[in-house]
Amino acid sequence: MQLRTGWIMRPRRTASRRTLLGDIPSLVAGILVSHTLLSLVLAGSFWLLGRAALQAHLETGWFLGWIAVIACAIPLRMLEVWWQGVFSIRLGTLLKQQLLAGTLKLTPDEVRLDGIGRHFGRVAEAEVVEQLAVGGALLAVLSLVDLILAGVILVLGAGGWPQAMVLVLWVVVAFVLARRHYGVQRAWSSARVEITHDLLERMLGHRTRLAQLPLERWHDGEDVRLSSYSEISKVMDRRTMQLTALLRDGWLVLALLTLLPAFSIGTANASALAVSVGGILLALRAFDEVAVYFQQVSQAAVSFEQIRDLLLAVGRPELESKVPLEMEGGKQTDAASGTLMEARGVTFRHDARTRPVLENCSFQIAQGDRILLEGPSGGGKSTLVSLLTGLRTPQGGVMLLHALDRATFGSSGWRKRITAAPQFHENHVLSGSFAYNLLLGREWPTSPELRTKAAALCKELGLDELVAKMPAGLEEMIGETGWQLSHGEKSRLYIARTLLQGVELVILDESFASLDPETMRVAQRCVLNHAKALVVVSHP
């Protein structure tokens, strides 16, 4: 028996944190344990060398013991690195999955109002969060573990509690410097993101600027933004220098000064002095790493603010289907009237507008209807399409499909019955095979029957000549990295994609606008043959 379709089972994006994290907490615990043991082994090696140096000779037994201690550090370090790699992969994968789930929960208005510049910036900031937060946060925690161990070792050494208290005070100084650095880096990152957004928007509107603005105004505001960014960068560089240089060197000077009385008076023995040296060196290594990791974590925290709304969108409730199982196949509930969809007093207003786009709108769509919806630009045609397909929710009135509302069908159930081909500039050809673009929204890999239906539909739409030219036929890669389609070919691809969904109501939003008269007649005949109920949106 040949297996055609399979599924990878994952927890739902809205599952509990324990379910989503999986084995990540156990990985963190393993990393902390292995790192603690490694730090203790390294502190022991420091003690052996320091004791031998202070006694001015190194016996063979102590030398062999030092080699054995160093050898024990090798497997612990390998284990720690392995677990850190697995941790980064697991947490990075979870972050990407949550970001994708949150992106799919955004409303059309949220996507449109943010603009391409902000969306591009979110992608960049998501990479920063993954690279810096996943690695930097964990390593910062490990450095804090080193500082705690160093404090315990210093208490047991010649410096005693006074030297340990100096370490605690210096850790407080480190947090103060890191907090100041974070404030400046936040302002710097915000300025950088705004410059990126402005640059992308200017690139997209380059032709408009050339046509509408005089030459002397092409670069208005650029010098001001760059000058402000330069000043903020100077302040951040100074704070970074303070954080990196002062922490490490300052601790070494203070630690040696607190150890100087015990060393000069001679009240401490060689073992106690060696223990103190080991603690000082362990804290020195931790401060050296903390300075770098704090920078990474602060930059990741600033970047997180750019993608926080995407992660919060994951928790938005998804409408679950309440339709009985016997109706899941799309069985009609009001066969007597033949009504497919009915709207009563539907009202919708965009957030940025004072007047509603649609007000007290009522209509009926019966099975088998062919409806032409005409109106001027900005008249609310596309808004009505988004309400019909469930992308937007009416702010007033009711919209019923088979006498049931969208909350009853659920989001997925509503989309299985109504679909639309959006306007050309809002539709896309993805980098993939021609068949993949045709059958978006259907099961993948597809059945031979569905693939045969797609090929037949392409022939009806006049795309068979295009498929014949492609060396791989329906499997030919198209999009930015593959075979390039013309404007009209893309429009017919979008029409075929919509018809292949097999839904009860098909909506075409200006899908025939880019077709020549002969091709438009062919496409219209195909749509009329295959759509059970049809709404065509067009300009008058």
Side-chain angles (χ1 to χ4, degrees), residues 423-452:
Q423 295 183 16
F424 188 88
H425 64 278
E426 293 185 348
N427 219 331
H428 303 282
V429 175
L430 304 182
S431 294
S433 67
F434 194 82
Y436 175 77
N437 278 274
L438 279 172
L439 297 168
L440 278 176
R442 302 304 300 268
E443 61 178 12
W444 191 265
T446 58
S447 63
E449 295 80 8
L450 190 57
R451 191 174 291 265
T452 301

Side-chain angles (χ1 to χ4, degrees), residues 25 29 139 167 173 176-177 222 310 322 369 434 462 464 508 514-515 529:
L139 295 177
L167 175 63
V173 171
V176 172
L177 292 177
E222 292 181 1
L310 295 181
K322 302 175 184 177
D369 277 354
F434 194 82
D464 52 337
L508 302 179
S514 59
L515 301 178
N529 289 336

